[in-house]
Amino acid sequence: GAGVSQSPSNKVTEKGKDVELRCDPISGHTALYWYRQSLGQGLEFLIYFQGNSAPDKSGLPSDRFSAERTGGSVSTLTIQRTQQEDSAVYLCASSSGQGFQETQYFGPGTRLLVL
Amino acid sequence: GDSVTQMEGPVTLSEEAFLTINCTYTATGYPSLFWYVQYPGEGLQLLLKATKADDKGSNKGFEATYRKETTSFHLEKGSVQVSDSAVYFCALRGYNFNKFYFGSGTKLNVKP
């Protein structure tokens, strides 16, 4: 596709359940980012993938959060045993990975509500 | 650590008014600076960027100048339109090129 896509667009789950959020980056983009945007807050960095390098997981808030990227393309963010404070919009972005001037392109986000 | 601080909103202006949204940053080394915009119901999109001191980014009538001496990257537009109503985010990409740091966003409401 032409842009970054994410699915689902909305997810409602019960506290304690696991959820998986998907991101399809722009074709050919080697860098992929996950962010969390809580109501009225800025974007909180979660994790970064660059090519075949080990991901930068320094932003993951707890061990309930994990992410993988298969084949250098699609990425899945998994939240285990969800808590109400996990409710937020989860944004994915990709970029060409070719230098510090590169631009990130964002997907529309997945709005997660934990009841 | 690296961080971005931007003015709190909402900012409400009448059409054709002058806009300034303040953004200051803290960073190690020489960051790249960005403004992103999020229109209602849409994802974030890059508005403009500047990669070194004294650079001016511009797009759609918006401008921002990278001021290293004041560690600022204020967004300006001479005459806003109703269609500019959106949330604006200031961001930097710092020494650790892996990470972008975003401000909390400033909501702009432009009234006809």
Side-chain angles (χ1 to χ4, degrees), chain B residues 56-101:
Chain B
K56 178 184 285 187
S58 61
N59 186 25
K60 299 181 180 179
F62 291 89
E63 293 183 338
T65 301
Y66 186 159
R67 301 286 189 199
K68 188 166 176 62
E69 64 274 16
T70 54
T71 61
S72 65
F73 193 55
H74 304 321
L75 182 68
E76 297 182 336
K77 186 174 185 181
S79 177
V80 294
Q81 305 300 311
V82 173
S83 57
D84 294 327
S85 298
V87 181
Y88 293 82
F89 292 89
C90 185
L92 73 81
R93 188 180 194 197
Y95 183 75
N96 177 349
F97 294 157
N98 292 354
K99 293 183 180 179
F100 285 72
Y101 298 86

Side-chain angles (χ1 to χ4, degrees), chain A residues 33 35 37 40-43 45 48 56 58-59 91 99-108, chain B residues 30 32 34 36 38 42-46 49 51 89 93 96-100 102-105:
Chain A
Y33 304 77
Y35 295 90
Q37 184 179 19
Q41 302 296 313
L43 276 68
F45 167 82
Y48 164 78
D56 179 348
S58 60
L91 294 170
F100 73 92
Q101 297 184 18
E102 67 189 63
T103 298
Q104 292 183 102
Y105 296 87
F106 282 84
Chain B
Y30 302 94
S32 295
F34 305 81
Y36 282 82
Q38 187 174 31
E42 299 184 14
L44 272 79
Q45 54 187 278
L46 179 69
K49 68 179 181 182
T51 58
F89 292 89
R93 188 180 194 197
N96 177 349
F97 294 157
N98 292 354
K99 293 183 180 179
F100 285 72
F102 284 79
S104 57

Side-chain angles (χ1 to χ4, degrees), chain A residues 87-103:
Chain A
S87 297
V89 177
Y90 289 82
L91 294 170
C92 176
S94 71
S95 66
S96 63
Q98 294 183 0
F100 73 92
Q101 297 184 18
E102 67 189 63
T103 298

Side-chain angles (χ1 to χ4, degrees), chain A residues 52-71:
Chain A
N52 295 321
S53 302
D56 179 348
K57 304 179 181 180
S58 60
L60 295 178
S62 76
D63 58 9
R64 297 187 295 104
F65 288 72
S66 62
E68 62 179 23
R69 189 177 184 193
T70 54

Side-chain angles (χ1 to χ4, degrees), chain B residues 22-58:
Chain B
N22 291 337
C23 171
T24 57
Y25 67 89
T26 301
T28 301
Y30 302 94
S32 295
L33 301 172
F34 305 81
W35 277 100
Y36 282 82
V37 58
Q38 187 174 31
Y39 296 104
E42 299 184 14
L44 272 79
Q45 54 187 278
L46 179 69
L47 180 60
L48 53 85
K49 68 179 181 182
T51 58
K52 62 183 187 294
D54 300 326
D55 267 2
K56 178 184 285 187
S58 61

